[in-house]
Amino acid sequence: EIEKAYHKLEETHETLKATQSQLIQSEKMASLGELTAGIAHEIQNPLNFINNFSEINTELIDELNDGIEKGNLDEVKTIAADIRENESKINHHGKRADAIVKGMLQHSRVSTGQKEHVNINALVDEYIRLSYHGLRAKDKSFNATLKSELDQSLGDIMIIPQDIGRVLLNLLNNAFFSVSEKSKQNIQGFEPTVTVTTKNMGDKVRISVHDNGMGIPVE
């Protein structure tokens, strides 16, 4: 009987472990869903730049051909320089869009639990914008002041980016929700503000998220 009970306990333990793993993945997908609106907004900006500069370059190429036919070398050189500058901007914004997508895929993939070198300030900055624009997508009337005081002495640190990212997203979502709720009370002079600070503590990094919203009940 004891042996049977032991095997039953082992089976239950394995089931619990499997369920826990599923819950963790479900939580990841839920937080990814919250990120989607922010990602859509963030990626729209570089895509708009890419589309605009591509259209301008199409027009400039027509002007370039006209200049070549007229034999106006100075005009051809000026237009060619403009096209090159626009191509550089297209490349820059293309890389920006690529970085956003890579960040999203990194957030959604199953964590290996392996630490990797990550620029913590860049990670914090990315999640501030994604969280803010995620809330703005739900409520267009919402605005808040974003303040980031990032310690420039911090470079890459060894972390599991998906795990830290989820913590940051939860903290930031809570902060923006809190100031959003307070702003609905129409308190005169209230300016919803969320401040994120990173600090090099030598052998540690401190990340602080501060808001002037509803606060946390004492109990």
Side-chain angles (χ1 to χ4, degrees):
E1 287 299 316
I2 291 169
E3 195 174 347
K4 280 182 187 176
Y6 176 74
H7 286 305
K8 184 70 178 172
L9 191 63
E10 268 195 328
E11 287 172 15
T12 306
H13 180 61
E14 289 302 316
T15 305
L16 279 171
K17 276 166 64 178
T19 305
Q20 183 190 33
S21 179
Q22 288 172 345
L23 281 170
I24 289 168
Q25 190 59 24
S26 296
E27 189 220 333
K28 284 180 188 175
M29 297 318 292
S31 64
L32 182 64
E34 289 172 1
L35 273 179
T36 304
I39 288 165
H41 181 280
E42 281 288 287
I43 211 165
Q44 194 62 53
N45 285 336
L47 287 178
N48 285 342
F49 278 113
I50 290 166
N51 290 336
N52 290 342
F53 285 123
S54 295
E55 287 172 15
I56 292 167
N57 272 2
T58 302
E59 294 169 11
L60 286 174
I61 288 166
D62 290 338
E63 290 178 23
L64 187 74
N65 288 329
D66 287 342
I68 291 168
E69 285 179 15
K70 291 173 184 173
N72 190 337
L73 190 59
D74 288 339
E75 185 185 2
V76 167
K77 284 181 179 178
T78 302
I79 294 168
D82 288 342
I83 292 171
R84 176 182 282 277
E85 188 179 340
N86 288 348
E87 283 301 314
S88 174
K89 290 171 183 173
I90 288 168
N91 184 258
H92 168 77
H93 291 291
K95 285 178 179 175
R96 172 80 187 117
D98 181 58
I100 293 165
V101 172
K102 279 179 179 169
M104 178 184 70
L105 292 173
Q106 185 181 62
H107 181 82
S108 63
R109 78 175 189 228
V110 176
S111 175
T112 59
Q114 294 293 312
K115 292 183 177 182
E116 53 188 276
H117 288 284
V118 175
N119 185 312
I120 191 64
N121 283 344
L123 189 77
V124 168
D125 191 53
E126 194 80 35
Y127 276 96
I128 293 170
R129 289 201 305 273
L130 293 176
S131 177
Y132 177 63
H133 291 307
L135 186 66
R136 286 264 300 147
K138 295 176 193 171
D139 180 5
K140 289 281 189 289
S141 66
F142 174 70
N143 282 294
T145 300
L146 311 181
K147 291 182 181 177
S148 55
E149 299 164 4
L150 308 179
D151 191 335
Q152 295 309 308
S153 70
L154 287 169
D156 288 1
I157 61 170
M158 290 293 285
I159 57 169
I160 304 169
Q162 301 96 317
D163 293 354
I164 297 294
R166 277 195 302 281
V167 174
L168 283 170
L169 189 64
N170 286 333
L171 286 170
L172 289 162
N173 284 351
N174 288 343
F176 285 122
F177 177 77
S178 184
V179 297
S180 171
E181 288 299 294
K182 191 168 180 178
S183 65
K184 290 173 185 174
Q185 295 180 1
N186 297 316
I187 300 166
Q188 191 170 0
F190 173 66
E191 293 182 15
T193 306
V194 173
T195 306
V196 184
T197 308
T198 59
K199 180 73 176 170
N200 190 340
M201 306 294 287
D203 61 339
K204 300 182 188 71
V205 174
R206 185 177 67 202
I207 303 172
S208 307
V209 178
H210 177 272
D211 68 76
N212 63 346
M214 302 297 289
I216 300 169
V218 174
E219 64 270 18

